[in-house]
Amino acid sequence: MVQDGNHTAVTAFILLGFGRGPGLQVVSFVMFLVIYIITVLGNTILVLTITANSRLHTPMYFLLMNLSLLDLCFSSVIAPRAMVSFLTETKVISYRGCATQLFFFGLFVSTETFILTAMAYDRYTAICDPLLYPTTMSMSVCIQLVIGSYLCGSVNAMVQTSFTFTLRFCGSNEIDHFFCDVPPLLTLSCTDTYINQMVMFALSGIIIVSTALIILVSYVYIISAVLQTHSAAGRHKTFSTCTSHIVAVSLFYGTVSFMYAQPSSLSFPDQSKVVSVFYTLVIPMLNPFIYSLRNKDVKEALRRTIGCIMVLK
């Protein structure tokens, strides 16, 4: 704390996490550690499998690989720092450290929405316009979609971070959360946060609604095209390919919408923490399983990769 006139300016924050009880801290640490290890292993194996198998060098799997890389980065921004807080009594994170964590969190979470949208567009093009698919979704187009997703995510992260940390923080420096996020930080400000709340609500709403609308329209066309397919095997294969993406999108958008696309007056800290665990840690852990368990190509590639590793041993 630094004295600033009649107020004490905050120079660091304390992450309260899920409470101060030592037993709860140990349980939280173990839970986060197990989830994080599974997340790192699952996503790393999926990335290596796609990279090592030429049959998976297609636009769909290129985007899936980038989603796995995002999930690795996403969870790594949150989990390690949270586990440190669970094991230390001070639970302090510096002012700059908090701003850095908020920026990268905002970057990865918003970029993931655009990558999921690109994946839906890829499936729409492959199913509804297969003759033009090699041109429409060429590797250069895929790279542009990924770069564009990161650029849009960067803009959102910069706006959210700059608006949040231009506020004055004086008085309490205890963040009622396990990482630095906009809603709990706004509650600590000693200045009016109405504009910040409107910016967060507007940006989150625009990103969530616009990308969700593109995904929804894509799947309306996909379902229409599939229903016109006479082959039962063809319908099953198409639905099997799309089901994984629909599940991942539903989980991610449902939890993110709960957090950021509703007025702050309707949110509750304890509920927000549980939902935050789900989309920052649980969903990145589940995605490799969601996309691989129903995908024959990925399962076959995994078997070959594991077989090669066993032979080398």
Side-chain angles (χ1 to χ4, degrees), residues 299-311:
K299 285 192 287 188
E300 289 176 7
L302 277 170
R303 289 192 194 100
R304 287 196 298 271
T305 303
I306 294 170
C308 291
I309 292 172
M310 295 302 292
V311 169

Side-chain angles (χ1 to χ4, degrees), residues 207-275:
I207 292 172
I208 292 170
V209 171
S210 61
T211 54
L213 188 61
I214 293 171
I215 293 171
L216 180 62
V217 170
S218 297
Y219 276 103
V220 167
Y221 279 102
I222 288 170
I223 292 170
S224 177
V226 170
L227 292 177
Q228 294 175 25
T229 303
H230 299 293
S231 169
R235 286 197 298 269
H236 176 75
K237 183 178 179 181
T238 304
F239 276 126
S240 179
T241 303
C242 296
T243 299
S244 300
H245 186 251
I246 293 172
V247 171
V249 166
S250 300
L251 290 173
F252 184 77
Y253 274 78
T255 51
V256 169
S257 298
F258 178 87
M259 282 297 299
Y260 304 107
Q262 66 170 334
S264 59
S265 59
L266 299 179
S267 62
F268 301 94
D270 291 337
Q271 288 182 350
S272 297
K273 291 178 198 176
V274 174
V275 174

Side-chain angles (χ1 to χ4, degrees), residues 130-205:
L131 294 177
L132 293 177
Y133 180 68
T135 305
T136 307
M137 289 299 294
S138 63
M139 189 52 65
S140 62
V141 172
C142 290
I143 292 171
Q144 289 172 23
L145 285 171
V146 171
I147 293 173
S149 297
Y150 275 95
L151 287 175
C152 291
S154 298
V155 171
N156 177 57
M158 284 189 288
V159 172
Q160 298 278 18
T161 306
S162 60
F163 265 78
T164 301
F165 282 90
T166 51
L167 292 170
R168 292 185 61 197
F169 297 99
C170 43
S172 176
N173 65 338
E174 295 183 339
I175 300 175
D176 191 12
H177 215 321
F178 59 90
F179 70 97
C180 292
D181 197 7
V182 175
L185 280 167
L186 294 184
T187 63
L188 299 183
S189 175
C190 53
T191 53
D192 185 23
T193 61
Y194 176 78
I195 294 177
N196 297 74
Q197 291 180 29
M198 289 300 102
V199 168
M200 181 188 70
F201 184 73
L203 278 177
S204 301

